[in-house]
Structures are given as structure tokens and as C-alpha cells.
Amino acid sequence: MTEKIATIEDVARQAGVSIATVSRALHKPNVVSETTRERVQTAIAATGYTANVMARNLRLNRSGMILLLVPDIGNPFFSAILSGIEKGASQAGYNVLIGDTQNDPEREATYAAYLRSNQADAMILLNGRLPAPLAKAPANATPPVVIACERIPGCALPTVIIDNDEASFVATNHLIDLGHTRIAHVSGPTGNILTTDRVTGYRRALKSAGITHEPGLIYRGDFSIDSGIAAGRALLADPKTRPTAVCCASDGMAIGVIVAAKEVGLRIPHDLSVVGFDDIPHAAAYDPPITTVRQPRRRLGEQAIALLLDRLGSKTPPSHGETGPVIIPTELIVRQSTGPCPG
Amino acid sequence: MTEKIATIEDVARQAGVSIATVSRALHKPNVVSETTRERVQTAIAATGYTANVMARNLRLNRSGMILLLVPDIGNPFFSAILSGIEKGASQAGYNVLIGDTQNDPEREATYAAYLRSNQADAMILLNGRLPAPLAKAPANATPPVVIACERIPGCALPTVIIDNDEASFVATNHLIDLGHTRIAHVSGPTGNILTTDRVTGYRRALKSAGITHEPGLIYRGDFSIDSGIAAGRALLADPKTRPTAVCCASDGMAIGVIVAAKEVGLRIPHDLSVVGFDDIPHAAAYDPPITTVRQPRRRLGEQAIALLLDRLGSKTPPSHGETGPVIIPTELIVRQSTGPCPG
DNA sequence: AAGCCCTGTGTAAACGTTTTCATTTTCGAT
DNA sequence: ATCGAAAATGAAAACGTTTACACAGGGCTT
């Protein structure tokens, strides 16, 4: 009753050939005669045969699966990156298995084990941390792993990132060019490499303009809108010490700061300039449209998968004369959330 | 040189037992003696053995993979749903393979073939369309498939959705209660079932309030911010025929309408009330904060995976005395983008 | 006419598991 | 001591492929 699924053997029987011939007809068509090839084709159609990928992969010792480690799949920031990766992978005949790590080292380790257990052929890390099992023996044989989004200091694996330091430098400079000198920075969480790099760029810009750095003007957020609101309330509370411009490490936090600014009656950009980071779709539609650093997320994903496929294609374990990370250029998009210093 | 990966045979040799015993020690610990169990454990530790999942799955004729079909993974709307599904799946020991269909029926068919080829054990559809291979023989044996987000009319498969008709009815009524009578509706793309249902709810609300429906007050968008801007410009161009309230089928379009409204100098909600749909995080942080229908996306995902696991757990091909779709309740979140009718 | 290569095909091994079945060992009850 | 049941183990089949190897036949070249 329960319709048995057709195997290669059924096809062979139907076509009156051996299973080897069926396999060849499918994967090396030029080595099998025209007539049998046709017979096999009709037999396949008749039986509705679909190759059992599991068996095939076992034999070939591959999985056709690329594992993608994401800290939080619920974060829309990754959507476009995923999209770029998925596109490239599926073109090359790979599937993308997304692993949501929730920033849990244990989950990271679990997923990393997929590499060993042949459940995945390669891995892309968006989580900015090397899973424990990988960290152990990176020296002898480089695993097929690519790092994207957040560089991992001291890790020689192929990496594709944006230059966060430089991008933050440019953003801060934009405010300096507008005449601002009291410029605050709302950063990401401590320990995050993105945070470090962007703070560095911010301070570098101040320094190169001869502005003395005030530690009180740096607020640590977590990239979320809510943390931006908190930052805004903290920074703008006292009219005396209030900055005239804020440079944020995410668009969400920039929006939060603007919300807080409006609460205390400040007009943007007349009384306060705000710069974001990422250029998410909502940045352009906000009131006012937000000046921000555009991060080409899709291209970032595309580059990452390209790097990986490269690595998978050539058997040569990557030219260990490291070429350094691939840097995707960013672009400052000037909109209406920034203007001349009110002073 | 190249470190060979350890198989079950290596473990068996190391422990001085047969491979059968190793397998049993791992999967049926109670059937093997304490002492050998320990010997096997140390052997595993010594060899660094990890079971080859591919071989295991071939033998067990399963894949441990749940296929998730998404129309566009780049769309943040799905992020939270994915998150909910992923959580439930991984708790049950399944992996989630995300298939980005780009609304391409061919890609849908390709992915659906994964079911036949044992590359996936089950499937969740978020794309609102039955892949061709599935549509063929749904009658005899119901495949392990669950539909979420967009119901597929005339399809008996387990489904989890929100009541779009009712939600739209409630949203429109909210505007009617505020005294509005010229109420526009910005809908999704034609052919989309969400569009149909939400338009129905909108018209039902008008009708039940005795307001005559003007076809010119419905604008077809595509859920995006840009289409919302276009809708706003079209609807608000002529001050004579201009509506006093707009009910949108997505928060993005609501934001777009507000952008267009501000262009022509309208104040929200004083001159124009706007309602969104979904309650994305940005809805609350917009200026003004947007009144919208909250769609519990994570719960939607959780329900979908729960339904599927249910189906997978019990061998019984689902109680065909259909219980009808599972409805996740929505909630109207009233913020400051809606107010009394200016007239 | 004998030898040879070339094309096309079949046989069987291999991939790494799980599990059935048979066999050995253990051990308590007679 | 002996028997028998229960417990523990091993041998081998099976899952559905791909591919190395062998082999058959046919058309060349000598």
C-alpha cells in the first residue's frame, strides 16, 4: 500500500541494465551509449526515481552542506548577508545550514562538530568567535572555514570584513567638518571587536582634529533601539555638558538617540546631529532621514561564500602566505540627521 | 600525514570489542555491561571519534533535517519566525535547512524534491504556495508538511496562521471608532492570500459601520517602505478627495505613507491617522510611534514546528478528521499615529 | 588472420553505520 | 554438579550509492 520509493536498482531492472550503468548514465553521460542512456532516462521517468542523497554523500564522503554560524538569526542585520551567501552557495550546488548559536559557546561547539562528523563540508562564521574544537588544532591543517563580519584577532583563517576603524573615522570626521567639537559616541557591547574598532576610529578622528577626548562622551549600548534611547537620555540629560553631535555604532541606536532627543525637545539636526551605522532600510525612511555608514551586507555575504568556494575548489590548503583579510568598502551616506554645529 | 578521521572500527579495535558493541554502548547503554561501556568510552576519547552522521542516517533512513521554505530570506519579517522554528527543531534534535525560494516555482520544486531524496524528513512552508511535486499526490499519503504564515486555500495540510481578516477588521474599526469615515487601505500585492484576507476585513468593517466602499481608496503596494511612499503620494495628492485615515497591510508601508504625508505638510495624527501591520521593532520607535496589529511571529514559528514534530512523532498519518488551521491571536497596539477624525 | 586498442557494460567492493540473529558467557536455582 | 534462562557479545547483512576492475565485442592496424 505505502508506495515504496524507487531506488537505483528499480531503475536498472526497468531499463534492463546494471545499476552501475544507471549511475554512469546520470553522472558521466558521455561514457554510456546513446541508446542505453535513453532507456535509462525513460526508466527513471517511469519509476519516478530520485537519487538518495544520503547514500550518495556517504559514498563520496561529502555532505554538500555549508554550515553558517550566526549569533542570532532573529536579528535582521544578518538577513542580507545570509541572502548573499545562500545565493552563491546554491549556485555552486551547496546547501546552507544555518546554525543559530545564541552566543552560546556550547552551541558553537556542537555545530563545529558537524565538520568532523561529515555533516557539513565547510563553515562560515558570523559570530566573531572561534568555536572551541576549532581553536585547538588550527596549526597543522587549516579547516575549510571562512570568517565574516567580525574579524577574529590572531586568527589566520580567510576573513572578509569592512574596515570598521576607518568607517568610524570617516563618520566622525563628517561631524568635525560640520564644525562639531563636542561629539559623543554610542558604541556596541564591551568585548565585541566591532565596538573596539569603531571606538578606535572615533578617537583617531578626534585626535587628528586636535579635539581632546572626554571619556564621559562614550556610552556603551548593545546595538538595539532601546539601548540607543538609554544612551540618548544619559548623554542629553544635562544641557550644560550635552554634546552637539552623536556618532552611533548602529542605525538602531541612532534612532534611539533621536527618540530621546525629541523627548527633551531637541530638533534634529538643528540642535543635535546624529550619525548611524549599517544603513538599514529604515534609516532612509526615518524622520529625519539618517546620515549613516552604508555597509554592503549582501556583498559581504557574497565575498564570504566566494572565498569559501575558492578554498573548497582548490585542493591546495590555502596559500599560507596569507594575503590578509578581504576588505569590503563602506560609504558614508549623508542625509538630514546631520547639520552644522549650532554654536 | 593527513590525520585520518576515526571510524567506529577504530574505536572497536582500541577497545577490543566488536563494532556492534560500540554502537550499542552509544545508543543502548543499558544493554551493554558496565565494564565494556567504560572501555568503549575511553577508546572514544582516545581516538576522538565522532559518528559519521551520513552513514548513520543512511542506515536509519532519515536525515534529521527539516526543510524550511521562505520566499525571501533577506526579508527581516521572517527572522523571528525562523528563530522560533529553529529553537523548537534543535530541541527535538533536528536541523533546519532554509530554502530561499525567491518566489521561483522552480526553486520550490527543487527543494520539495529534497523530501523524496531523503535529504529532508519534513518541510515547513512559509511561501504560501504548494510546490508542484507536492500538489500532485496530496490525496493518498499526506506528506510531513506544515504550512505557516499564509494559508493555502483548499489545502488540507496542517496550517498555522493569524486571522488576517479579523485583524484587519479590528484595525479598521479602531479608525471608525475614532470617527473616521474616509478610510483608505494600502494592501499587499495582488494574488497574495494575505492581501485578499486583509482587504476583506477592511471592507467588512466599513460595511458593518454603514460606510460605502470607494474602490479608489484601495492602493496595492508590496509591503515595502517604497511602495508605502508611492501609496501615500497617490492617496494624499488631492486635498479634496484625501482620506483622513489609512490602514496599511504592513508597518513598512505605514511608514512610507507617513513619509509621504509629511511631504505634503500633513501632521500625524492630527491631520491623518495611519495604522500599520506586524509590529516590527521599528514601529514603536518611529515618529510618531505607529499604531499597529501585533503579529506574534516567534510564536507562529513555535506553533509551526510544534505541529510538525507532532506529526513526525506519531506514526499515524494525521487525524484526517481535520481540526482546521491553528489560529495565533493578534493584538491591536494603539500608539500615537492614530487620533480622532479632524473633521 | 592475428593482435590491439577502444567503447560499453557488468561484478563487486567500498563508504560507516545499525540491527537481526546466533552464539557465548554468566549466574542463580535445582 | 547440572540445567536453563538471562545477559552480553560478535558476525554479517543491510541501507543506496559510486567506482575500480575485469571483460566482451568490434573495428583498426599490421
Side-chain angles (χ1 to χ4, degrees), chain B:
Chain B
M1 209 52 59
T2 162
E3 179 157 10
K4 194 79 173 58
I5 222 160
T7 87
I8 198 175
E9 208 153 352
D10 300 326
V11 177
R13 201 173 316 121
Q14 179 97 11
V17 298
S18 78
I19 61 169
T21 303
V22 175
S23 175
R24 278 189 285 252
L26 286 173
H27 301 292
K28 325 194 157 159
N30 47 324
V31 88
V32 69
S33 85
E34 172 110 19
T35 67
T36 43
R37 199 165 54 221
E38 275 168 9
R39 267 224 309 276
V40 168
Q41 285 302 345
T42 58
I44 286 180
T47 55
Y49 169 72
T50 328
N52 182 324
V53 180
M54 212 92 61
R56 169 160 224 267
N57 286 346
L58 171 60
R59 178 60 224 254
L60 297 183
N61 194 36
R62 56 158 252 160
S63 68
M65 204 69 81
I66 290 176
L67 184 57
L68 179 58
L69 253 49
V70 187
D72 176 19
I73 207 185
N75 184 340
F77 173 79
F78 294 107
S79 298
I81 302 179
L82 302 197
S83 187
I85 291 179
E86 144 78 24
K87 195 182 94 194
S90 87
Q91 272 170 9
Y94 282 95
N95 288 126
V96 178
L97 182 64
I98 299 181
D100 187 352
T101 68
Q102 303 286 359
N103 262 317
D104 176 0
E106 197 163 332
R107 297 201 58 165
E108 288 170 8
T110 306
Y111 277 118
Y114 283 27
L115 272 188
R116 282 194 73 76
S117 58
N118 279 352
Q119 214 171 168
D121 296 338
M123 188 160 67
I124 298 181
L125 301 176
L126 298 185
N127 59 329
R129 179 163 41 191
L130 219 51
L134 241 67
K136 278 180 185 166
N140 44 6
T142 336
V145 175
V146 164
I147 297 166
C149 255
E150 313 192 17
R151 70 187 173 81
I152 300 179
C155 176
L157 290 168
T159 300
V160 39
I161 45 167
I162 65 162
D163 189 340
N164 284 289
D165 179 332
E166 179 65 14
S168 182
F169 177 82
V170 168
T172 310
N173 256 349
H174 165 65
L175 294 169
I176 292 172
D177 287 346
L178 287 168
H180 296 274
T181 53
R182 290 194 57 75
I183 302 174
H185 180 75
V186 181
S187 79
T190 328
N192 187 307
I193 189 77
L194 300 180
T195 299
T196 316
D197 287 350
R198 290 178 194 173
V199 168
T200 304
Y202 158 76
R203 295 178 66 165
R204 192 158 59 86
L206 293 191
K207 188 166 196 176
S208 82
I211 301 173
T212 58
H213 167 63
E214 288 183 44
L217 287 182
I218 293 191
Y219 185 97
R220 307 236 161 233
D222 62 6
F223 298 130
S224 72
I225 294 181
D226 285 344
S227 75
I229 295 179
R233 288 182 182 147
L235 291 168
L236 306 173
D238 185 353
K240 303 257 172 46
T241 65
R242 185 182 283 168
T244 64
V246 184
C247 193
C248 302
S250 82
D251 286 336
M253 295 196 294
I255 287 174
V257 167
I258 295 177
V259 167
K262 286 177 177 174
E263 280 176 0
V264 296
L266 295 178
R267 286 159 304 167
I268 315 287
H270 190 269
D271 303 320
L272 182 75
S273 286
V274 179
V275 178
F277 207 109
D278 291 346
D279 194 27
I280 61 176
H282 286 274
Y286 203 70
D287 183 8
I290 297 172
T291 295
T292 188
V293 175
R294 172 172 299 167
Q295 196 167 170
R297 290 173 287 168
R298 169 173 286 269
R299 273 213 51 212
L300 209 122
E302 287 169 349
Q303 268 294 322
I305 186 70
L307 231 57
L308 190 60
L309 291 173
D310 231 47
R311 168 81 172 74
L312 285 177
S314 64
K315 288 297 151 216
T316 61
S319 54
H320 225 322
E322 281 307 333
T323 47
V326 174
I327 312 264
I328 306 287
T330 57
E331 184 186 0
L332 181 72
I333 308 290
V334 178
R335 299 204 179 92
Q336 286 112 65
S337 69
T338 50
C341 180

Side-chain angles (χ1 to χ4, degrees), chain A residues 175-312:
Chain A
L175 294 170
I176 293 172
D177 288 346
L178 287 168
H180 295 274
T181 53
R182 289 193 57 75
I183 303 173
H185 180 75
V186 180
S187 79
T190 328
N192 187 307
I193 188 77
L194 301 179
T195 298
T196 316
D197 289 350
R198 290 178 194 172
V199 168
T200 303
Y202 157 76
R203 296 179 65 164
R204 193 157 58 86
L206 292 191
K207 186 166 196 177
S208 83
I211 301 173
T212 58
H213 166 63
E214 288 183 43
L217 286 182
I218 293 191
Y219 186 97
R220 306 236 162 235
D222 61 6
F223 299 129
S224 73
I225 294 181
D226 285 344
S227 76
I229 295 180
R233 288 182 183 148
L235 291 168
L236 306 173
D238 184 354
K240 302 257 172 49
T241 66
R242 186 183 282 168
T244 63
V246 183
C247 193
C248 303
S250 83
D251 286 337
M253 294 196 293
I255 287 175
V257 168
I258 295 178
V259 167
K262 286 177 177 171
E263 281 175 1
V264 296
L266 295 178
R267 288 160 303 168
I268 316 287
H270 190 269
D271 303 320
L272 182 76
S273 287
V274 179
V275 178
F277 207 110
D278 291 346
D279 193 27
I280 62 175
H282 285 275
Y286 203 70
D287 184 10
I290 297 173
T291 296
T292 189
V293 175
R294 172 172 299 166
Q295 196 166 172
R297 290 172 288 169
R298 169 173 286 268
R299 273 213 49 212
L300 209 123
E302 287 169 349
Q303 269 294 321
I305 186 70
L307 232 56
L308 190 61
L309 291 173
D310 231 45
R311 168 81 172 73
L312 285 177

